[in-house]
């Protein structure tokens, strides 16, 4: 097998790789979501080409969706009788509105229950106390929390928390798809989580996303997502240039928990592509602190407890003997009190006092009024003061910073608006100026998550901000050796995600070890297992090293690479290997020469090339396994004399590292994962819910259509057109049937199935549609008849045009042939038209000072013979017959149908439809256009044999006149009136027919135009020649006078030689014996 790095891949591997590439590219082109998974609300932001960072609105156009789902029991008898019918699912605020009516089927604030065991859990007990109407049960397979719905039988499988959360995420995804537009797909998402989430809680979020059809690109802590949003619009000091980083604290108090995160913001110059550098922004978590149960719900519970105490203190409940326990066990009462407690706390954030009243509380005839001021609320919450400050202290200790190092405190979450919380923060920070509200406390986290999703996706290019999350908990490895349990710490709570560590273990046989998290608890640190690793080929690999390479057990090193996953922050095993250094013996002189020349050795493999670091490495796969060995010397090891050679250890022996990569299997530790069968059952139930919702939606659409149709019928029976198209008996039957249907709808029809509703609707339409059809046909018929008659008239005009065209065709051909013969004779007998005479040139030195009249040069182009006229459209007898037959058949059909229609009454069905008339009109038009398109494809003009014109330059003396080129033949085709006179009936033809007629008429007149142009050109040339001769005479006279003056001057200067001509005459005139000056003339 070729060495590692030089393997040849099979065609199958290449094809699979390409398929995966294109699949990933298609997925990458889709939109991505950022989801802020809160306890009370879920917010989402969409990133899509053309939609940058936009909040996903709910169906009610709100910017956040309440984290609740409700099962509304089905009261319809038809729905109950249908198989696979599930309750209607209601989401968001609509679900919370049903909590008082159906307290056992409204599931809200599920986030604190993710990844928790059912037994002996304070969080489960607290949730049950707040929502007594819900029935929490223990899951059969894993011992986690489940809900038993009242809408299902007691024997039905309980709903897992992950399954209910998946429904909420699926609703968010559907809203995002509606925002993205038709054809968009959304599969990838980045979800925010608290920094204190353990491995079980992180896996629960990933499972819920998977059930909802989402692929988690990354789980990001709340504080880091807020920091990302803070950094998108800011630039920080560059540490390479001496700048100091900025430290900020993000304080996030939501409904269920509170976290404090220390962030470091800085700019940094890094290497870019090529030789260039670039500056990037870095956002890094340095430490965090939290309170898992402090939040808006805890403050709401304070108000609710005070309500209960004052409620049971009323005289009416005292007389009934009701205590707090009875009230807390009553589901409807607790749902009302919880909803009102949250509202009052929010009102107190802006007002000093508020009140509320209840009717029919606990019992139908019990009323209760409650009043609370801000001062009273702060007194009730005084015990929570230290809990508000504690996360800040823990975060500073984790980051090893002090309050003086913090530049600002960024507030996030809905509960931070509570005045009590803000007072406690000012006390903890000791400076109100550091508390900032410069980010959106509701949407900063979701925008940061969406920005992170866009940065991970290859489909988008965003600002280069490098975010660094931390583990949150310390991570270690545990194994058993020689009957003793051993441990080794790998990562601290502030270790960066994505960091990798090399762990060396002295193992020479297959083993199992566990990666765990250290969770702080009241009793101390609890080690929760995360991943269990089992090696598969460690024993065999060690045996290969000892047998093939002569390694000793003491020299063998087993190494594992472990990192914190950049996706979910959990520890994972990246790779494992076993290696040793073996001494390789060099060959003899001959082998050395062969190696030097590149021929290699016959008994051993050639040495591999040296890598970038200078170390000689090579790897080879053995036996088709995924394990690889670096440069194995199998032929040398199999030689029985190899041991002797190895023992000799010659001076030129060179140590070489032999490495074999290990195979291993990993299993999630903690409570077991869902089995494949259980996972399939959950997905099947979710799909059944979806199918039931679609079926219910279709039934509601049919019901609404039937109800609207009954109202429409009342208007129809009073319409004049409907009355004229129907009989009294028909209208009476329609009124009776629609009255019966209206009464049925508000009775038994309300619970009818979709099939029953559809059958009733079809019956009513069967009564109304025929009458409505007659009414519509009576209205459209005159217009369509007129259109068909116009089409018949146009067809008749076309038939007449074709007949005249066929008569004129023979005449046009004769004219064209005679014109061609005339052009040929003219071109052969008139050569003078193509010749021009040039005046003799005068010497430059003798006559340069003469003042001549303005002379202009014009180019005279001898026109080429006129091209033959284009052939006229040729219409055959078959075309004429086809068009005539079509026109006559349609005319006959129309007359017969009109006669039949006249015999019918308005209440009878029409003899023909308006669509039939439109079809006949289309038939005629298609027949005409077919002939026109076929016959009007005229071929291009044939090129003349003398395509180039002869040019000659003539100097023409004109008194400052402009040069006029030979005029081209003017288009003097007959006017439209002439064409109409020559072709009667053309006024009813179409534009295409008129264009054809114009071309035919133009062809018949082009020959006359050519002859006329030739005569005009000859006359113009004659006039120009006469004018030129007169100008030349004047010029010659001036030249003679100038010559005489020069002759007199020359006689006085006898010593000087007589001037001679410097240039020969260009003309062909013979010498006349005159002086040289006159010779030039």
């Amino acid at each position: 097998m070729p060495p590692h790095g030089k393997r040849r891949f099979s065609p199958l591997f290449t094809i699979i790789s390409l398929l995966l590439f294109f699949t990933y590219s298609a997925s990458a082109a889709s939109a991505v979501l950022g989801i802020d998974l809160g306890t009370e609300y879920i917010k989402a932001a969409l990133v899509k080409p053309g939609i940058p960072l936009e909040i996903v609105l709910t169906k009610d156009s709100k910017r956040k969706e309440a984290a609740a789902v409700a099962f509304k029991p089905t009261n319809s008898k038809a729905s109950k009788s249908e198989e696979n019918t599930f309750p209607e699912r209601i989401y968001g605020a609509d679900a919370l509105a049903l909590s008082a009516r159906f307290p056992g089927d409204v599931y809200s604030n599920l986030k604190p229950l993710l990844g928790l065991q059912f037994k002996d859990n304070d969080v489960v007990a607290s949730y049950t106390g707040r929502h007594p109407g819900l029935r929490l049960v223990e899951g059969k397979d894993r011992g986690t929390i489940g809900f038993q719905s009242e809408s299902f039988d007691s024997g039905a499988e309980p709903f897992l928390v992950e399954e209910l959360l998946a429904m909420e995420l699926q609703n968010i995804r559907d809203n995002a798809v509606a925002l993205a537009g038709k054809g968009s797909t959304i599969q990838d998402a980045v979800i925010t989580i608290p920094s204190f989430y353990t491995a079980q809680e992180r896996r629960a979020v990933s499972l819920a996303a998977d059930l909802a059809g989402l692929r988690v690109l990354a789980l990001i802590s709340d504080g880091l997502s807020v920091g990302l949003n803070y950094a998108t619009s800011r630039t920080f000091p560059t540490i390479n240039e001496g700048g100091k980083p900025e430290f900020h604290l993000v304080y996030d108090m939501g409904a269920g928990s509170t976290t404090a995160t220390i962030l470091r913001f800085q700019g940094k110059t890094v290497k870019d592509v090529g030789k260039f550098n670039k500056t990037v922004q870095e956002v890094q978590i340095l430490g965090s602190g939290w309170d898992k149960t402090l939040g808006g719900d805890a403050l709401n519970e304070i108000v609710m407890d005070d309500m209960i105490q004052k409620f049971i203190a009323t005289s009416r409940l005292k007389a009934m003997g009701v205590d707090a326990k009875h009230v807390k066990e009553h589901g409807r009462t607790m749902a009302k009190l919880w909803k009102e407690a949250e509202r009052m706390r929010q009102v107190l954030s802006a007002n000093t006092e508020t009140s509320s009243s209840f009717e029919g509380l606990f019992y139908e005839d019990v009323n209760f009024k409650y009043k609370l001021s801000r001062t009273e609320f702060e007194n009730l919450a005084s015990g929570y003061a230290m809990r508000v400050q504690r996360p800040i202290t823990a975060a500073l200790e984790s980051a090893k910073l002090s309050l003086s190092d913090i530049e600002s405190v960024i507030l996030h979450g809905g509960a931070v608006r509570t005045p009590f919380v803000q007072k406690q923060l000012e006390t903890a920070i000791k400076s109100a100026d550091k508390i900032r509200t410069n980010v959106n406390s509701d949407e900063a986290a979701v925008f940061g998550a969406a920005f992170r999703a866009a940065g991970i996706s290859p489909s988008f290019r965003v600002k280069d901000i490098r975010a660094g999350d931390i583990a949150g908990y310390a991570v270690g490895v545990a194994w058993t050796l020689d009957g003793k349990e051993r441990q080794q710490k790998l990562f601290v709570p502030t270790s960066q995600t994505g960091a990798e560590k090399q762990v060396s273990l002295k193992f020479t046989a297959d083993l199992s070890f566990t990666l765990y998290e250290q969770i702080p608890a009241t009793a101390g640190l609890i080690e929760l297992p995360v991943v269990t690793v089992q090696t598969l080929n460690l024993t065999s690999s060690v045996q290969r090293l000892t047998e093939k390479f002569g390694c000793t057990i003491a020299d063998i090193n087993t190494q594992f690479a472990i990192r914190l996953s950049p996706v979910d922050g959990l520890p994972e095993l990246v790779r494992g290997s076993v290696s040793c250094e073996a001494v390789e013996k060099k060959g003899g002189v001959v082998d050395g020469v062969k190696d030097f020349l590149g021929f290699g050795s016959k008994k051993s493999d050639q040495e591999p090339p040296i890598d970038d670091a200078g170390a000689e490495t090579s790897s080879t796969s053995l036996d088709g396994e995924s394990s690889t060995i670096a440069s194995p010397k199998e032929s040398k090891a199999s030689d029985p004399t190899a041991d002797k050679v190895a023992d000799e250890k010659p001076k030129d022996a060179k140590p070489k590292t032999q490495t074999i990569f290990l195979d291993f299997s990993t299993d999630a530790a903690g409570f077991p994962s869902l089995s494949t069968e259980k996972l399939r059952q959950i997905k099947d139930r979710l799909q059944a819910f979806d199918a039931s919702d679609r079926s219910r939606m279709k039934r509601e659409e049919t019901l609404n259509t039937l109800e609207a149709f009954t109202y429409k019928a009342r208007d129809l029976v009073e319409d004049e057109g409907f009355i004229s198209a129907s009989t009294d008996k028909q209208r009476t039957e329609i009124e009776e049937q629609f009255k019966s249907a209206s009464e049925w709808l508000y009775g038994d029809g309300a619970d009818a199935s979709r099939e029953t509703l559809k059958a009733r609707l079809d019956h009513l339409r069967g009564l109304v549609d025929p009458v409505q059809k007659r009414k519509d046909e009576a209205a459209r018929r005159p217009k369509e008849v007129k259109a068909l008659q116009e089409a018949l008239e146009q067809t008749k005009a076309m038939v007449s045009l074709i007949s005249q065209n066929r008569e004129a065709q023979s005449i046009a051909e004769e004219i064209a042939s005679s014109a061609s013969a005339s052009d040929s004779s003219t071109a052969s007998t008139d050569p003078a038209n193509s010749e021009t005479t040039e005046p003799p040139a005068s010497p430059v030195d003798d006559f340069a000072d003469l003042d001549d009249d303005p002379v202009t040069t014009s180019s005279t182009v001898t026109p080429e013979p006129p091209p033959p006229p284009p052939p006229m459209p040729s219409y055959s007898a078959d075309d004429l017959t086809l068009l005539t037959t079509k026109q006559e058949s349609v005319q006959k059909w129309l007359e017969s149908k009109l006669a039949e229609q006249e015999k019918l009454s308005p209440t009878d069905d029409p003899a023909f439809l308006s669509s039939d008339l439109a079809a006949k009109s289309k038939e005629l038009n298609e027949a005409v256009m077919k002939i026109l398109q076929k016959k009007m494809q005229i071929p291009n003009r044939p090129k003349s044999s003398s395509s180039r014109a002869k040019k000659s330059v003539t100097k023409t003396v004109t008194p400052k006149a402009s040069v006029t080129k030979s005029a081209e033949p003017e288009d003097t085709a007959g006017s439209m009136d002439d064409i109409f006179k020559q072709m009667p009936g053309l006024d009813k033809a179409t534009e295409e027919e008129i264009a054809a007629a114009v071309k035919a008429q133009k062809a018949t007149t082009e020959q006359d135009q050519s002859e006329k142009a030739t005569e005009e050109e000859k006359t113009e040339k004659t006039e120009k020649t006469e004018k030129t001769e007169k100008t030349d005479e004047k010029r010659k006279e001036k030249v003679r006078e100038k010559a005489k003056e020069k002759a007199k001057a020359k006689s006085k200067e006898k010593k000087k030689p007589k001037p001679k001509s410097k240039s020969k005459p260009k003309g062909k005139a013979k010498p006349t014996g005159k002086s040289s000056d006159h010779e030039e003339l």
Side-chain angles (χ1 to χ4, degrees), residues 731-750:
R731 290 194 299 274
T732 302
E733 183 180 4
I734 290 173
E735 290 178 355
E736 293 177 354
Q737 290 293 333
F738 273 87
K739 182 178 180 180
S740 174
S742 180
E743 295 175 354
W744 176 78
L745 274 178
Y746 295 102
D748 298 336

Side-chain angles (χ1 to χ4, degrees), residues 136-179:
L136 277 69
V137 297
E138 183 179 3
K140 297 179 181 179
D141 299 333
R142 304 187 300 166
T144 54
I145 303 169
F147 290 90
Q148 196 70 50
S149 173
E150 295 181 355
S151 300
F152 292 84
D153 297 334
S154 57
E157 285 289 330
F159 288 87
L160 299 180
V161 179
E162 295 88 343
E163 186 176 359
L164 296 173
L165 182 59
M167 295 180 185
E168 299 177 12
L169 293 177
Q170 188 176 11
N171 176 57
I172 294 293
R173 179 191 175 189
D174 293 341
N175 293 340
V177 170
L179 173 63

Side-chain angles (χ1 to χ4, degrees), residues 90-132:
I90 310 296
Y91 298 98
D94 295 337
L96 294 177
L98 299 175
S99 59
R101 295 176 56 194
F102 309 105
D105 272 328
V106 178
Y107 310 96
S108 61
N109 298 15
L110 299 174
K111 181 181 176 182
L113 303 178
L114 289 170
L116 300 182
Q117 296 288 330
F118 178 77
K119 293 181 179 179
D120 302 329
N121 198 308
D122 295 338
V123 177
V124 176
S126 176
Y127 188 88
T128 305
R130 296 173 184 173
H131 308 280

Side-chain angles (χ1 to χ4, degrees), residues 790-825:
E790 291 177 354
L792 286 170
E793 292 297 328
Q794 291 178 359
T795 308
K796 290 180 183 178
M798 185 63 186
V799 170
S800 176
L801 184 65
I802 291 176
S803 300
Q804 296 181 16
N805 179 272
R806 286 178 53 78
E807 293 175 359
Q809 183 176 353
S810 58
I811 299 175
E813 291 176 354
E814 292 177 1
I815 294 174
S817 60
S818 61
S820 177
S822 176
D823 291 342
S824 300
S825 61

